[in-house]
Each structure stands twice: as C-alpha cells, then as structure tokens.
Amino acid sequence: MWVLVTGGAGFIGTHTCIELLENGYNVIVIDNLSNSSKISLDRVRKITGNSIEFFHDDVRDKDALNKIFTNYDVGAVIHFAGLKAVGESVAKPLEYYDNNIGGTINLCQVMDAFNVKNIVFSSSATVYGEPDVVPIKENFPLAVTNPYGRSKLIIEEILHDLHVSDKDWNIALLRYFNPIGAHESGLFGEDPMGTPNNIMPYITQVGIGILDKLKIFGNDYDTIDGTGMRDYIHVVDLAKGHVAAIKAMGSFDDIITVNLGTGSGYTVLELVNAFEVTTGIKIPYEFVERRPGDIARCYADVSLAKELLGWASEKTLNDMCRDSWNWQSKNPNGYE
Ligand code: NAD
Ligand code: WQD
C-alpha cells in the first residue's frame, strides 16, 4: 500500500518513513523543506535499500497534491507537515494558521476528491494546557495558550466535523508528548534551524560545544527537584506508533484520539543527569527565570494506545540520551 507522508523529510517524518518501509509500505513524501533537508530522505533510501517518491511541494498547493493522487494509488496519509515553534507562532499567528490549518483543509479536500479517507494526524500534548492532575488521559479538558497549540486543536475539531459529515473517514489523532532521541544508526535526528527551543537539541549542542551552557527555565516548580517534568519519548518508538495507527485504520467506527508517550515523567535535572551518565559528557547549566507558558508537570496515561493500537513505547531515557548524542556527535552541523 502507498502511504503519503506529508512533512516526511522532518524529524519525526524521516523516522516514520523508515518504519513504514521496514513494514512493507511504499512511501511518498511531500515536503516544502521549510524546516528540513532532502539529505534526510537520501539517507532513508540508503539505509533501507528502498526507494521513496519525493515531491518538493507545499501541502497548500492543490495542483501538487492532485498530481500525487492521480499518479499513485494512495491508501492512507500521515500528516506531519506544519510549523511547530510555539514562540514563533505567537509572533506570526497568521503564518501558523495558514500553514497548519490551511494545509490540512487543502489536503483533506484533495483526499476527499480522490476518495482516500484514511488519515493519521500529528497532534500534540500541548492541547491539554496545564493539567490539574497527571498522568493525562485523552478525555481531559483541552486548553491552548498559543497559536501553535490552537492550530492543533482547531485541526482536531475540523477532523471531528469531517468524520461526523462522512463516516467513511478513518481518522487517528495522535497526541505526541516530548519526542527526543534519534535513529540508532546516527544518520537521522533533530536538526533545528538556529538556536534550539527544545531541550534535547540544546543539551547536545552544549555537549558538542556549539552552545556554552544549558539555561534551565525555573527551579521552583512543584516537582521533586523544582525543574519542569515531561514525558520524553524516543522518536523511533513514536514512529512505530504511526505504523500501528496505519495498521489499525478502518477497525474503529469512530475517530480515535490517542496519547503517544511513555507514561513516565522526568525532570530537566533528571534528563541532564541521564545524559551525563549515558554519554560521559558534562553539561554545565544555570537556573534562569521560568519560560512564559511552561507548565510544571506533563506526562501521559498510555493505556489507550495499548488498548486501541497495541502499541507501547520500549526505549528508555538512557536510550534516548545515547541516540541523541550519537546523532549530534556524528553530525555536528546537522544534515548540511
Ligand atoms: P519538523 O519541522 O522536523 O517536520 C515538519 C516537516 O513539515 C518539515 O520537514 C517541514 O519542511 C514540512 N512542512 C512544513 N510546512 C509544510 C507545508 N506547508 N507543506 C509541506 N511541507 C511542510 O517537525 P517534527 O518535529 O518532525 O514534527 C512533525 C509534526 O509533529 C508537526 O506537525 C508537529 O507540529 C507535530 N508535533 C511535533 C512535536 C515535537 O516536539 N517535535 C510534538 C508534538 C507534535
Ligand atoms: C522541556 C522542558 C522546559 C529548553 C514543546 C512544545 C510542545 C511540543 C513539544 C510540539 C521544560 C525545559 C527547555 C531549555 C529548559 N511540541 N527547558 N531549557 O516545552 O515541554 O514542549 O515541545 O507540539 O508543544 O511546547 O518542550 O523541550 O521546550 O522543554 O529548561 O533551553 O525543558 O522548561 O520543562 P515543551 P521543551
């Protein structure tokens, strides 16, 4: 079966392409390379020995999508394409709504026209806002505080409406927690443009000497050591969750919404400590003010993922640290 992966040249996308190919799927990628490099897909081809059809196009371009759906018998779509930087979304809300929401509407319109009604969508734990309790279950109240998060929530709602209008749509909304780690080959990983916003690429760039020291945002949260707690999940486990969702397409009457996390929370200091122990690299840090919008604790209840998809994460925090470092040390400047 052909699977169209939008945003397939990106961090989670490349890892998912590998898992799809290894599970016997044929893969088409559409990516405008606004936050990625074609080199990642060349490496996917090399490591898997499989071909990937690549279209350097934008999901907001209907002609480009029409061409793909005309030429390939697409069975399902995994929709990663979108902008993802929370801070940037506050500065450029229209770009985020245009790209994320506009892109999704365009994609669904073309899918509908070609009668392809299977879609897996990249949502985010950010839609839960600050939860009253942890672990977070899928039926918890939703609250978003920035345009990025709002774009994810609006898309979830649009996809719900689509399913109400036409029950033939099979839709999986996957809410990712904090993906880190990298493929064990060291050929693929997170390659942020400019100074990283997320913690793991920041740590590895300190490790390699690009950045001086980690700034830890706040040490007065209500956690064991005062630093923020998150559910870090290995990107390869996350990619496997997508294959599980593709395999489950059509088995449910309703749209499904599933957390993809490990079910465990680690604080920033625990993460730094795990990184140092695993890699032997010292990460100097200092405490600074809390980052606006950050929350104290966030980790997933993962029972629904097990029940509906038969999927659970397998890799440990040490695996994540080892593989992130392996990627960074083998590719000090990312893909380029
Ligand atoms: P990424 O930026 O590495 O990948 C996104 C890809 O989409 C990039 O290759 C980019 O070039 C492409 N893209 C962006 N807009 C496009 C458009 N209009 N048309 C075609 N291609 C376009 O990000 P990622 O970390 O791999 O995230 C993938 C998805 O998962 C995103 O939708 C993101 O919002 C979501 N998500 C990510 C995280 C995370 O922490 N990484 C957490 C939760 C959800
Ligand atoms: C993790 C922890 C920080 C950087 C973001 C998005 C979310 C989702 C995942 C897409 C927090 C602390 C961080 C640093 C630090 N993405 N930190 N110093 O904020 O949980 O989630 O990425 O959907 O929407 O908001 O991830 O990696 O930025 O932060 O101390 O330089 O590390 O305060 O406790 P976050 P993160």
Side-chain angles (χ1 to χ4, degrees), residues 84 86 123-126 146 148 152 176-180 196-202 214-218 221 227-230 232 268 271 291 294-296 298:
K84 65 164 183 177
V86 172
S123 190
S124 168
T126 198
N146 56 69
Y148 167 70
K152 292 292 176 191
Y176 317 152
F177 281 66
N178 287 58
I180 59 170
N197 297 309
N198 293 117
I199 190 150
M200 186 50 103
Y202 206 107
L214 174 67
K215 295 185 179 67
I216 298 183
F217 300 137
Y221 285 107
T227 64
M229 176 186 274
R230 296 291 182 274
Y232 298 100
V268 174
L271 178 66
R291 183 172 61 180
D294 273 358
I295 59 176
C298 173

Side-chain angles (χ1 to χ4, degrees), residues 14-36:
T14 45
H15 289 86
T16 303
C17 289
I18 295 171
E19 295 302 322
L20 286 168
L21 291 167
E22 286 179 350
N23 279 272
Y25 294 98
N26 298 314
V27 175
I28 311 157
V29 166
I30 178 170
D31 198 305
N32 65 5
L33 302 182
S34 58
N35 196 37
S36 53

Side-chain angles (χ1 to χ4, degrees), residues 110-189:
V110 175
M111 290 175 68
D112 201 42
F114 284 84
N115 203 28
V116 177
K117 297 182 179 176
N118 297 315
I119 186 167
V120 176
F121 173 63
S122 298
S123 190
S124 168
T126 198
V127 299
Y128 295 114
E130 173 124 47
D132 289 337
V133 290
V134 278
I136 299 172
K137 283 180 181 291
E138 288 82 351
N139 60 5
F140 274 22
L142 305 177
V144 287
T145 54
N146 56 69
Y148 167 70
R150 195 162 293 114
S151 75
K152 292 292 176 191
L153 188 52
I154 291 170
I155 295 167
E156 286 198 4
E157 287 171 346
I158 290 171
L159 292 173
H160 272 282
D161 290 340
L162 189 57
H163 184 264
V164 168
S165 76
D166 178 355
K167 298 278 185 276
D168 286 346
W169 276 89
N170 297 303
I171 300 171
L173 308 176
L174 303 184
R175 294 179 178 156
Y176 317 152
F177 281 66
N178 287 58
I180 59 170
H183 192 263
E184 63 177 9
S185 63
L187 290 170
F188 311 93

